């Protein structure tokens, strides 16, 4: 929402956030208790039965625990959203009050028209922002695809006995059913198979070759092995190997589990609850709010001064009051909400064409303002998939024979193939695969188990020889190898050779690889084989896997750095893997911190550490938030790019939260911006677009502030010196409306390249300096106009002539000066306004020149102006623009880019 000042931000929410954190801790503690119990006691605790729950039990538990859905943003009714936009914006409130006063006290038709115009501006600004953001939000709704619609459960159902009478009572039988996930309850028995999303928090009762991807919860890129036995050694719920969590998915294998928690009671749901509260106030919110209050304070001083001067000198306090009301409107940047909304909407539409969904309009500007982008690693910088990167001998040199035997092992295993097996199969060429498939046949296999942490196959070649090929964890596989193949020869696995082998494996681990070892031996022919045959193998070498960076990651980071945005990694994964990814994408890692070290630091110590640290690894969600808060304390505008449930709080804490196309639902819910394109280069485009939006908004603010400041000097002087009002109230309103209309096209204007070169933030001192330096220049020429009208045209006896002359001069000068102020370069020669801005400013100038001669001139108190006036006006405008350009150039040399 576009809030120029959000009063709800004043309400403390620490207690609310503390409550949510306690809920997450309670959920984790309950799950850990379930993990440590054996199957019988688990079923007793959850009041579950092996055959599944009956319909009555399910209905009662749905009433008790509620539907199995996680927290989402609660949508407010449209009328409430519109009302909130209105009441949280002081400019809207002020304009409405002034419109009501003008309508109630004004007796002329022009007063009524002025009141309607002011109120129409408010309505337009509110509706433009609301409907643009509503359109983006509707698009986001279509992205909720993470949680599957149904789950397979075992439940007790009633069905008639075969051959029994119709009146006979039905029998109760256990059946597999497909039910909507929101209908699951604690105690349900659920079946899992490869590709399933885990629909709730489960305690496994049976598992076969089960691998779970819980990267969305922990940031780990590799699948985690799960088994059914109680895990009494687990220190945290996420470490328990017998628990599966909502938000994770089955990579391979199958399992049966009992639901321990659903909905908000799950680990996923408890954490999600911390994501749907009040967002932090962003730098854009704060900047616009501060500017609004600056103008209000300025107006609070100037308007009473104008009112008193006119009341005392003219002796008509009602007329002085109406004039003061008009001046108040003139000082109020009443079009600011609309100008900001138009700029942001235009930016959002541009980003939509690049397949980027903008959920919150002001996120566009925040995108451009960020000078630090914090990003998760898994699924954002990396592809969140495993590839075979290396296949080496025991010295670490590439060896095709290692790939051949690894392919045979992965291809011939009969169980469900995990991501590592798929990577091995994809790593071999089609010709290699065809050759091996034709040469070797499967004889037997020794399946994987968690005690051995390896699996073996026995194959037969064309000559009838049998080979046992074992692939698995390095330590467990090397332990059954009595020899190693070194330089083509089999050598004993001496302690010295073992040390060399471990060093090669460790080096690859240090480079961020997931490493498996490969052993083989020719084995005698026999009817079947077992784990007892896995001995005296010859270690061939290693296969190493990576979760590779996205193709566009390195270019995107380089582009961000070139545009003044530093990139820091905040991940739940380990620092070794993370630093390796950083090297691949061009991030220089001079210092890194891990979660435990971050936890031990105080706020100030962490703030200092963030200045020189590029990688923060093994972080939990709250630690990610602490790092972002530390960067905020250090004056940075922070963006966060993430895709998992563990990234949700950080997405909320950042000035702009960015998620990607593959993100979990809650991450998308938390994000301000969602990237649908695979390429991360859209990040640079978003940053530049955000800076354009901010640059054009700032153009309007600087032009309006300086114009209003100059007009006040003119108003005060004219009110004190003239025997009549320098301009009628309706003329002040019309002047303001016409000028503001000319600025509606500023969103289409281009922004200087040097302005886009680095992040831009709100700088009220710079705005005030611009206002003070540029504003009074217009007053010089206003007073020249006063003198010309008084002494040359004899307007001392004709108030309407004086008022018409100043109206036209004021309108044309402040409308045309836009072309000087809009750029730091030389206007018309080095930089030209966009066609829409040129058209609107020209049209308003022509309209202002025609008005005194039009049939409606009398409605506003205008009279025709003599020919000599137009010659004088042309000279005034030329000199005014030249002097402003000179002062602007001096300011640029002194203070840099405007």
């Amino acid at each position: 929402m576009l809030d120029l000042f959000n009063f709800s931000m004043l309400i403390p929410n620490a207690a609310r956030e503390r409550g949510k954190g306690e809920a997450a801790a309670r959920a984790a503690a309950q799950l850990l208790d379930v993990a440590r119990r054996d199957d019988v006691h688990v079923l007793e605790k959850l009041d579950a039965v092996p055959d599944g729950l009956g319909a009555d039990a399910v209905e009662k538990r749905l009433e008790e625990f509620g539907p199995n859905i996680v927290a989402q943003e609660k949508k407010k009714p449209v009328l409430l959203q519109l009302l909130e936009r209105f009441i949280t914006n002081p400019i809207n409130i002020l304009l409405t009050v002034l419109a009501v006063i003008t309508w109630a006290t004004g007796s002329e038709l022009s007063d009524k028209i002025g009141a309607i115009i002011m109120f129409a501006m408010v309505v337009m600004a509110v509706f433009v922002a609301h409907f643009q953001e509503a359109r983006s939000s509707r698009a986001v709704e279509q992205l909720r695809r993470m949680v599957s619609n149904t789950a397979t459960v075992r439940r007790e159902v009633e069905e008639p006995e075969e051959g029994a009478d119709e009146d006979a009572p039905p029998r109760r039988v256990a059946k597999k059913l497909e039910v909507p996930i929101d209908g699951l309850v604690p105690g349900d028995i659920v079946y899992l198979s490869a590709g399933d999303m885990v629909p709730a928090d489960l305690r496994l009762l049976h598992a076969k070759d089960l691998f779970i991807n819980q990267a969305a919860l922990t940031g780990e890129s590799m699948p985690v092995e799960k088994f059914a036995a109680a895990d009494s050694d687990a220190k945290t719920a996420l470490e328990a190997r017998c628990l599966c969590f909502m938000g994770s998915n089955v990579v391979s294998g199958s399992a049966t589990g009992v639901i321990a928690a659903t909905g908000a009671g799950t680990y996923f749901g408890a954490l999600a609850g911390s994501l749907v509260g009040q967002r932090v106030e962003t730098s854009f919110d704060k900047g616009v709010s501060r500017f609004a209050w600056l103008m209000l304070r300025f107006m609070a001083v100037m308007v009473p001064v104008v009112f008193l001067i006119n009341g005392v000198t003219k002796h008509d306090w009602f007329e002085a009051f109406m004039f003061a009301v008009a001046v108040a409107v003139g000082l109020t940047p009443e079009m600011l909400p609309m100008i900001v909304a138009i700029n942001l909407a235009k930016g959002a539409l541009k980003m939509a064409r690049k397949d980027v969904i903008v959920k919150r309009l002001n996120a566009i500007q925040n995108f451009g303002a960020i000078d630090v982008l914090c990003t998760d690693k898994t699924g954002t910088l990396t592809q969140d998939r495993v590839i075979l990167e290396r296949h080496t001998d025991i010295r670490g040199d590439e060896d095709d024979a290692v790939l051949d035997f690894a392919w045979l092992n992965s291809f011939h295993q009969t169980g469900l193939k995990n991501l590592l097996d798929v990577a091995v199969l994809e790593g071999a060429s089609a010709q290699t695969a065809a050759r091996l498939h034709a040469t070797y046949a499967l004889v037997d296999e020794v399946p994987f188990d968690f005690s051995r942490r390896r699996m073996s196959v026995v194959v037969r070649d064309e000559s009838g020889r049998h080979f046992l090929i074992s692939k698995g964890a390095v330590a467990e596989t090397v332990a059954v190898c009595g020899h190693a193949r070194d330089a083509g020869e089999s050598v004993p696995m001496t302690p010295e050779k073992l040390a060399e082998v471990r060093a090669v494996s460790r080096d690859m681990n240090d480079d961020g690889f997931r490493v498996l070892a490969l052993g083989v031996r020719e084995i005698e022919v026999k009817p079947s084989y077992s784990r007892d045959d896995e001995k005296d193998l010859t270690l061939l070498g290693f296969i190493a896997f990576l979760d590779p960076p996205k193709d566009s990651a390195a270019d995107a980071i380089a582009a961000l750095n070139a545009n003044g945005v530093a990139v820091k990694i905040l991940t739940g994964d380990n620092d070794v893997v993370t630093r390796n990814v950083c090297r691949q994408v061009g991030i220089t890692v001079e210092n890194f911190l891990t979660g435990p070290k971050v936890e031990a630091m105080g706020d100030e110590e962490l703030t200092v550490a963030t200045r020189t640290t590029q990688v923060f690894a093994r972080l939990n969600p709250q630690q990610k938030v602490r790092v972002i808060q530390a960067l905020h304390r250090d004056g940075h505008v922070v963006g966060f790019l993430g895709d998992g449930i563990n990234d949700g709080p950080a997405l909320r804490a950042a000035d702009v939260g960015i998620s990607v196309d593959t993100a979990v639902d809650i991450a998308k819910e938390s994000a301000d911006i969602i990237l649908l394109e695979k390429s991360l280069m859209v990040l640079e485009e978003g940053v530049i677009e955000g800076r354009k939006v901010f640059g054009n908004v700032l153009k309007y603010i600087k032009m309006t502030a300086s114009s209003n400041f100059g007009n006040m000097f003119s108003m005060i002087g004219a009110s004190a010196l003239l025997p009549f009002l320098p301009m009628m109230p309706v003329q002040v309103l019309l002047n303001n409306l016409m000028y503001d209309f000319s600025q509606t096209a500023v969103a289409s204007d281009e922004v200087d390249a040097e302005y886009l070169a680095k992040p831009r933030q709100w700088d009220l001192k710079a705005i005030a300096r611009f206002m003070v330096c540029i504003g009074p220049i217009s007053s010089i020429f206003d007073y020249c106009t006063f003198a010309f009208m008084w002494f040359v045209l004899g307007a001392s006896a004709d108030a309407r002539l004086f008022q018409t002359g100043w109206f036209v001069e004021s309108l044309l000068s402040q409308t045309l000066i836009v072309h000087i102020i809009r750029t730091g370069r030389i206007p018309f020669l080095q930089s030209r306004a966009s066609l829409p801005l040129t058209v609107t400013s020209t049209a308003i100038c022509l309209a202002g020149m025609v008005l005194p001669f039009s049939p409606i001139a009398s409605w506003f108190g205008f009279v025709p102006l003599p020919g000599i006036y137009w010659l004088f006006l042309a000279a005034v405008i030329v000199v005014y623009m030249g002097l402003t350009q000179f002062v602007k150039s001096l300011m640029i040399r002194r203070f840099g880019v405007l």
Side-chain angles (χ1 to χ4, degrees):
M1 180 194 298
L2 177 63
D3 292 338
L4 296 190
F5 187 85
N6 192 341
F7 290 102
S8 65
M9 295 302 301
L10 299 177
I11 302 173
N13 62 3
R16 181 171 64 245
E17 295 303 319
R18 193 161 48 245
K20 292 171 182 173
E22 292 171 356
R26 284 196 301 271
Q30 291 167 2
L31 289 170
L32 190 58
D33 177 56
V34 170
R36 291 170 174 169
R37 296 171 181 260
D38 60 34
D39 292 359
V40 174
H41 289 95
V42 165
L43 293 177
E44 289 178 357
K45 179 176 176 61
L46 298 175
D47 196 15
V49 292
D51 287 342
L53 301 175
D56 292 341
V58 170
E59 184 177 352
K60 289 180 181 178
R61 295 187 189 195
L62 275 175
E63 292 180 3
E64 179 181 356
F65 298 102
N68 181 34
I69 56 176
V70 297
Q72 295 181 354
E73 291 281 5
K74 294 182 179 179
K75 291 186 176 179
K76 300 174 183 176
V78 173
L79 288 178
L80 185 58
Q81 293 179 43
L82 294 172
L83 179 62
E84 189 176 72
R85 289 180 185 276
F86 172 76
I87 63 176
T88 57
N89 184 345
I91 294 179
N92 286 340
I93 296 173
L94 176 63
L95 278 177
T96 303
V97 170
L98 294 178
V100 170
I101 292 173
T102 303
W103 180 277
T105 59
S107 57
E108 300 293 333
L109 176 62
S110 58
D111 295 330
K112 306 295 184 184
I113 293 174
I116 293 172
I117 290 173
M118 284 187 280
F119 187 68
M121 285 189 222
V122 174
V123 172
M124 194 179 305
V126 169
F127 273 83
V128 166
H130 169 75
F131 285 114
Q132 172 61 30
E133 191 165 337
R135 185 171 66 174
S136 295
S137 296
R138 284 194 297 271
V140 173
E141 289 297 321
Q142 301 173 4
L143 301 175
R144 304 184 187 280
R145 304 186 187 122
M146 191 192 98
V147 181
S148 56
N149 293 323
T150 62
T152 305
V153 301
R154 182 195 306 157
R155 283 184 178 171
E156 190 178 68
V157 298
E158 295 182 349
E159 60 178 32
E161 191 82 39
E162 290 187 18
D165 295 335
E166 293 183 0
D167 296 335
R171 61 173 183 167
R172 295 178 178 271
V173 295
K175 277 197 169 185
K176 282 186 178 182
L177 302 174
E178 290 288 325
V179 301
I181 62 166
D182 59 4
L184 297 176
V185 296
D188 260 331
I189 306 297
V190 177
Y191 295 90
L192 298 177
S193 58
D196 284 349
M197 301 300 298
V198 178
D201 286 352
L202 309 176
R203 163 63 159 84
L204 294 175
L205 302 175
H206 170 76
K208 177 177 173 56
D209 300 331
L210 184 66
F211 285 81
I212 298 291
N213 180 356
Q214 52 189 43
L217 292 163
T218 65
E220 297 174 286
S221 58
M222 295 295 180
V224 178
E225 305 164 344
K226 297 285 185 177
F227 53 92
D231 192 350
S232 58
D233 296 329
K235 296 180 181 178
T236 66
L238 286 176
E239 292 177 359
R241 292 300 180 91
C242 59
L243 295 179
C244 295
F245 300 93
M246 173 185 273
S248 58
N249 65 282
V250 181
V251 174
S252 63
S254 60
T256 305
V258 58
I259 292 181
T262 59
T266 64
Y267 185 86
F268 184 105
L271 186 57
S274 68
L275 310 182
V276 297
Q278 178 67 51
R279 295 196 66 106
V280 297
E281 190 178 20
T282 68
S283 64
F284 186 71
D285 301 325
K286 295 173 183 176
V288 179
S289 175
R290 286 198 298 267
F291 173 72
W293 283 114
L294 172 67
M295 296 307 296
L296 289 176
R297 288 194 296 269
F298 179 59
M299 186 179 65
V301 174
M302 300 302 291
V303 171
V305 171
V306 171
F307 170 64
L308 291 174
I309 291 175
N310 281 288
V312 171
T313 58
K314 313 302 187 292
H315 307 294
D316 187 338
W317 289 96
F318 177 76
E319 186 180 59
F321 173 74
M322 294 303 296
F323 183 70
V325 168
V327 169
V329 174
L331 278 174
T332 303
E334 68 275 9
M335 291 293 285
L336 179 59
M338 180 185 292
I339 295 295
V340 171
I342 291 173
N343 273 277
L344 294 177
K346 181 174 177 288
L349 291 174
K350 270 192 174 182
M351 297 307 294
R353 296 189 193 106
K354 303 178 188 296
D355 287 335
V356 176
I357 290 180
V358 179
K359 288 179 61 182
R360 293 201 311 157
L361 281 177
N362 59 2
I364 287 288
Q365 188 281 325
N366 290 335
F367 211 164
I370 60 174
D371 58 353
V372 175
L373 176 66
C374 297
T375 176
D376 182 38
K377 175 184 68 68
T378 307
T380 49
L381 291 182
T382 65
Q383 299 176 23
D384 200 14
R385 69 181 182 89
V386 177
I387 64 169
L388 177 64
E389 186 72 12
R390 301 185 64 188
H391 44 90
T392 75
D393 60 19
I394 65 169
R395 294 176 179 268
D397 299 322
E398 295 296 313
D399 188 338
D400 290 338
V402 172
L403 178 58
D404 287 353
F405 281 103
W407 188 92
L408 288 170
N409 178 281
S410 294
F411 179 79
H412 285 295
Q413 67 154 308
T414 59
L416 287 169
K417 293 175 173 54
N418 61 35
L419 288 178
L420 302 180
D421 291 309
V422 172
V424 169
L425 296 177
E426 291 178 348
S429 66
Q431 293 83 357
T432 298
R435 172 176 57 81
L436 295 172
H437 186 266
T439 306
Y440 294 90
L442 176 67
V443 175
D444 200 1
E445 72 174 320
V446 183
F448 177 92
D449 65 49
F450 293 98
S451 60
R452 293 161 41 247
R453 298 187 68 199
R454 61 181 178 268
M455 70 85 54
S456 301
V457 298
V458 179
V459 297
R460 181 182 64 248
D461 68 7
E462 294 173 318
S463 65
R465 294 189 301 168
H466 287 50
F467 297 90
L468 184 144
I469 307 168
S470 185
K471 175 179 97 259
V474 172
E476 285 76 2
T477 303
V478 169
V480 294
C481 291
H483 295 77
R485 193 182 68 169
D486 190 0
E489 296 184 2
S490 179
V491 299
M493 184 68 76
T494 62
E496 293 78 15
K497 183 61 65 178
L498 180 61
E500 293 176 12
V501 165
R502 287 175 175 170
V504 171
S505 171
R506 186 168 55 252
D507 287 344
M508 285 194 281
N509 278 323
D510 288 344
D511 286 335
F513 291 102
R514 168 78 176 272
V515 182
L516 298 182
L518 192 73
V520 65
R521 79 176 175 106
E522 186 173 353
I523 194 168
E524 69 275 11
V525 177
K526 57 182 184 178
S528 63
Y529 299 87
S530 68
R531 64 180 64 188
D532 293 335
D533 294 302
E534 295 176 330
K535 61 184 179 182
D536 198 25
L537 306 183
T538 297
L539 180 67
L540 296 185
F542 306 100
I543 49 177
F545 304 86
L546 273 182
D547 179 10
K550 289 185 176 179
D551 295 337
S552 58
D555 291 339
I557 289 171
L560 288 170
N561 289 335
N563 284 284
V565 180
V567 178
K568 297 180 184 291
I569 308 298
L570 277 60
T571 181
D573 211 344
N574 71 70
D575 59 283
V576 173
V577 172
T578 303
R579 282 183 285 161
N580 178 68
V581 171
C582 287
R583 282 194 292 271
Q584 295 182 65
V585 299
I587 298 176
T588 302
V589 182
E590 297 175 353
N591 296 292
F592 71 91
L593 286 175
T594 59
K597 292 181 180 178
V598 169
E599 189 69 28
M601 288 181 170
D603 288 344
E604 290 306 315
E605 185 181 4
L606 181 58
T607 299
V608 173
T610 58
R611 296 170 186 169
T612 56
T613 303
Q614 295 79 36
V615 169
F616 298 83
R618 293 169 55 200
L619 299 181
N620 63 36
Q622 287 68 37
Q623 289 165 348
K624 291 184 179 182
V625 172
R626 282 197 67 206
V627 173
I628 291 173
Q629 290 172 340
L631 290 166
H632 279 154
R633 285 193 297 271
D634 212 24
H636 295 287
V637 179
V638 184
F640 184 83
L641 173 63
D643 70 336
I645 179 64
N646 60 325
D647 297 321
L651 286 166
R652 285 273 167 175
D655 291 282
V656 54
I658 310 162
S659 195
V660 294
D661 58 313
T662 54
V664 300
D665 265 5
I666 288 299
K668 293 175 183 176
E669 186 82 30
S670 307
D672 304 304
I673 292 175
I674 299 175
L675 314 180
L676 299 183
E677 279 289 324
K678 296 290 184 182
S679 174
L680 293 179
M681 288 304 295
V682 74
L683 288 172
E684 181 202 15
E685 297 170 359
V687 165
I688 298 301
E689 193 60 42
R691 291 177 189 175
K692 286 181 180 179
V693 168
F694 183 61
N696 283 331
V697 169
L698 208 59
K699 286 178 189 178
Y700 172 80
I701 286 175
K702 287 182 175 180
M703 291 183 291
T704 300
S706 59
S707 175
N708 288 349
F709 188 70
N711 284 340
M712 282 307 95
F713 280 107
S714 303
M715 285 285 186
I716 291 175
S719 297
L721 298 174
L722 298 176
F724 47 78
L725 291 177
M727 202 181 293
M728 293 174 60
V730 70
Q731 292 170 347
V732 175
L733 291 173
L734 182 63
N735 184 301
N736 197 56
L737 175 63
M738 293 179 72
Y739 167 72
D740 282 338
F741 178 79
S742 73
Q743 301 310 300
T744 56
V746 75
S748 68
D749 199 23
E750 291 301 318
V751 181
D752 296 341
E754 54 268 27
Y755 186 89
L756 300 176
K758 65 179 183 179
R760 301 291 171 180
Q761 300 182 26
W762 286 96
D763 187 349
L764 280 186
K765 289 183 178 179
I767 294 174
R769 182 172 60 240
F770 188 92
M771 181 174 70
V772 171
C773 293
I774 299 297
I777 298 176
S778 67
S779 293
I780 296 173
F781 295 94
D782 283 340
Y783 282 105
C784 290
T785 302
F786 296 164
F788 179 80
M789 299 299 296
W790 188 271
F791 296 110
V792 177
L793 297 185
S796 58
D798 189 348
R800 297 179 68 185
L801 178 63
F802 186 98
Q803 293 163 346
T804 303
W806 189 33
F807 173 90
V808 174
E809 183 269 338
S810 175
L811 177 64
L812 267 64
S813 62
Q814 67 179 345
T815 300
L816 291 175
I817 205 65
V818 166
H819 294 272
I820 305 297
I821 295 175
R822 56 163 291 278
T823 177
R825 301 175 179 178
I826 300 174
F828 308 115
L829 296 178
Q830 296 178 340
S831 178
R832 295 179 181 177
S834 66
L835 180 61
L837 183 57
T838 301
V839 169
T840 55
S841 59
T842 302
I844 289 300
C845 288
L846 291 174
M849 295 167 66
V850 170
L851 259 178
F853 304 95
S854 69
I856 62 172
S858 59
W859 295 5
F860 303 98
F862 294 138
V863 295
L865 293 163
I868 192 174
Y869 169 85
W870 301 105
L871 294 175
F872 167 80
L873 180 62
V876 164
I877 290 176
V878 169
V879 177
Y880 173 39
M881 294 178 72
L883 181 58
T884 303
Q885 172 65 25
F886 175 72
V887 174
K888 182 190 74 175
S889 300
L890 292 178
M891 291 183 65
I892 291 175
R893 283 198 291 269
R894 175 65 176 84
F895 302 108
V897 178
L898 287 180

